[in-house]
Amino acid sequence: TNMMDLLEQSTTSDYITMTVLRNGKPVDLEFENPGTSLNFTLVQQTMKIKGKNFFIALWESGRECFSIFTQSIAAFFSVFRGKSTAGETLGGTFAASQSIGMLTTKGFAHGFNSGIRTVLFLLASVSISLAVANLLPIPSLDGGLILVSLAELVTRRTFHPKMYLILQIVGTVMIVLAIALLSFAK
């Protein structure tokens, strides 16, 4: 029904099949999935959607968050398996901010409700993706601290505070280098 729905569906397969009306007759169009950079928009159509029970809406939002969470994990693992590059998957800060700005602008161009929906969807997606990234086993992130805690649990000794400092510095350097490389990678 809208571009956000189309972008959500485009993450599920290598090809997208759309049924469109041409001269009043349905025609199936199939094209290779371009990812998140679709070069067209759908004609705006205003439609009322009946409100949902609070608990049903809560369940559906939880299911959508879980879907984004699993897609984020799959994207990180696709880099490690060599199916995609880190630059393609993570995009860099400039590309991410450019995409968010473009989607938000297009959302508000279709109306206030569509704009708010787009902003909230992007906010949730970025937050969940950051949560997944935060669980990576890099020393200064939560995933690294979980690993250190597990190591302390296994060895039954607490690491010296200087070791924590060294791990934090190494982790911070790794993160800064990753951001720099992804921001300037093409």
Side-chain angles (χ1 to χ4, degrees):
T1 58
N2 59 49
M3 284 303 290
M4 288 304 296
D5 290 341
L6 183 60
L7 288 173
E8 288 173 29
Q9 292 300 318
S10 71
T11 62
T12 58
S13 71
D14 293 334
Y15 289 90
I16 298 175
T17 303
M18 292 178 54
T19 303
V20 298
L21 290 176
R22 291 258 170 95
N23 299 324
K25 294 181 182 179
V27 176
D28 286 337
L29 302 174
E30 184 174 279
F31 54 94
E32 191 172 336
N33 185 353
T36 56
S37 59
L38 298 173
N39 294 326
F40 61 88
T41 59
L42 300 176
V43 174
Q44 180 180 352
Q45 179 181 1
T46 304
M47 57 192 285
K48 291 272 184 188
I49 299 174
K50 186 179 177 203
K52 296 181 181 182
N53 175 313
F54 174 77
F55 296 104
I56 292 171
L58 187 64
W59 173 259
E60 288 182 7
S61 65
R63 196 175 69 219
E64 181 69 25
C65 288
F66 182 74
S67 172
I68 294 169
F69 182 78
T70 56
Q71 289 173 12
S72 297
I73 290 173
F76 278 114
F77 280 116
S78 72
V79 172
F80 294 116
R81 287 186 303 218
K83 291 189 174 186
S84 65
T85 65
E88 290 172 343
T89 301
L90 305 176
T93 52
F94 179 71
S97 62
Q98 199 173 27
S99 296
I100 289 171
M102 181 197 64
L103 287 172
T104 303
T105 303
K106 284 187 179 183
F108 277 108
H110 290 291
F112 182 75
N113 288 343
S114 179
I116 291 296
R117 178 178 178 227
T118 303
V119 168
L120 292 176
F121 178 80
L122 290 171
L123 181 64
S125 298
V126 168
S127 296
I128 292 169
S129 295
L130 284 174
V132 170
N134 195 33
L135 292 175
L136 290 173
I138 296 173
S140 59
L141 298 178
D142 288 341
L145 294 176
I146 291 169
L147 239 112
V148 169
S149 296
L150 287 174
E152 288 180 341
L153 184 68
V154 168
T155 61
R156 296 181 188 220
R157 4 180 331 245
T158 305
F159 292 151
H160 193 275
K162 284 186 179 182
M163 176 61 101
Y164 282 110
L165 178 64
I166 291 169
L167 289 173
Q168 293 295 320
I169 291 170
V170 167
T172 303
V173 168
M174 288 172 64
I175 292 169
V176 169
L177 283 174
I179 290 172
L181 288 173
L182 291 173
S183 293
F184 299 110
K186 291 187 179 194

